[in-house]
Amino acid sequence: VSRRVTGYEPVHRKRVLSDDEIRLLWTESSANARVLRFLMLTGLRISEAQKGHQDGDRWIVPATISKNNRSHWVHIPDQAKAQLPLPACSPTNVQAWLKRWCQRHEIDPAFTPHDCRRTAATRMQDDRLGADKVQPFIVERVLNHTLEGVMAVYNHAEYEVDRAVAAATLVRH
């Protein structure tokens, strides 16, 4: 059924977690909180985190589960490795737990697992980082977004070192 038939209009969320919300999430001991911390430390989508796999210091996302059908990897710093293994539960389970957790802690508006991804991208670009701010095209590589224009045609670099530095920057921030 198409959007034209249903009248569905996508909602473009802008929710980014505050410093206090991040601190609170880091004090939570549940397995679902580990998933959310892993998402925030890697910038992955929940399905990519739950269906991907570790290979040394990389988290591998096969093309079959990637939103743009391109294989992908992210550097996983020690703090992200500490969240492993991720629990074997559905994304819906994590979302339902998070909704209850936000209500219990009076977080309004509540956030979603995908907001952790947006928070990671935003934090890598935060002005408070000064000269350590991660370049926008590196953030796009970390998120596995498709580059635009000339970058898409000519730039096929992996930026392995820059992506590892971006992960370390995010952890510090």
Side-chain angles (χ1 to χ4, degrees):
V1 179
S2 71
R3 287 185 198 173
R4 185 178 56 78
V5 173
T6 64
Y8 170 79
E9 291 294 327
V11 176
H12 298 286
R13 293 180 54 92
K14 296 181 179 180
R15 180 78 159 86
V16 174
L17 278 68
S18 70
D19 291 345
D20 289 338
E21 291 167 336
I22 293 170
R23 280 188 211 98
L24 186 60
L25 184 60
W26 248 258
T27 65
E28 178 62 50
S29 62
S30 85
N32 288 317
R34 287 198 336 260
V35 172
L36 298 168
R37 289 190 294 262
F38 189 77
L39 298 179
M40 197 169 309
L41 290 164
T42 60
L44 291 167
R45 293 177 178 88
I46 192 167
S47 59
E48 294 171 339
Q50 291 182 318
K51 296 177 183 175
H53 65 276
Q54 184 178 358
D55 183 9
D57 287 339
R58 290 183 177 188
W59 192 260
I60 308 298
V61 178
T64 55
I65 62 171
S66 172
K67 185 176 178 182
N68 62 8
N69 296 315
R70 291 186 333 195
S71 63
H72 173 55
W73 63 269
V74 295
H75 179 80
I76 48 175
D78 291 339
Q79 291 83 346
K81 288 177 189 174
Q83 308 308 314
L84 299 173
L86 298 178
C89 61
S90 72
T92 304
N93 178 287
V94 176
Q95 292 164 345
W97 175 87
L98 180 55
K99 187 175 182 178
R100 291 188 308 271
W101 186 82
C102 286
Q103 287 172 341
R104 187 170 62 249
H105 292 284
E106 300 177 352
I107 296 173
D108 186 36
F111 62 93
T112 67
H114 199 76
D115 293 334
C116 293
R117 177 178 168 87
R118 189 175 304 104
T119 299
T122 301
R123 293 293 175 127
M124 284 187 266
Q125 282 280 281
D126 197 309
D127 287 334
R128 293 179 284 180
L129 292 170
D132 291 334
K133 188 161 52 169
V134 178
Q135 294 295 319
F137 65 94
I138 300 299
V139 175
E140 296 297 310
R141 282 286 194 229
V142 169
L143 299 176
N144 196 25
H145 284 168
T146 304
L147 298 176
E148 298 290 325
V150 173
M151 291 283 284
V153 175
Y154 295 104
N155 187 350
H156 299 279
E158 285 288 316
Y159 295 105
E160 185 170 347
V161 172
D162 293 309
R163 287 159 83 167
V165 169
T169 300
L170 181 58
V171 167
R172 277 195 318 277
H173 188 42

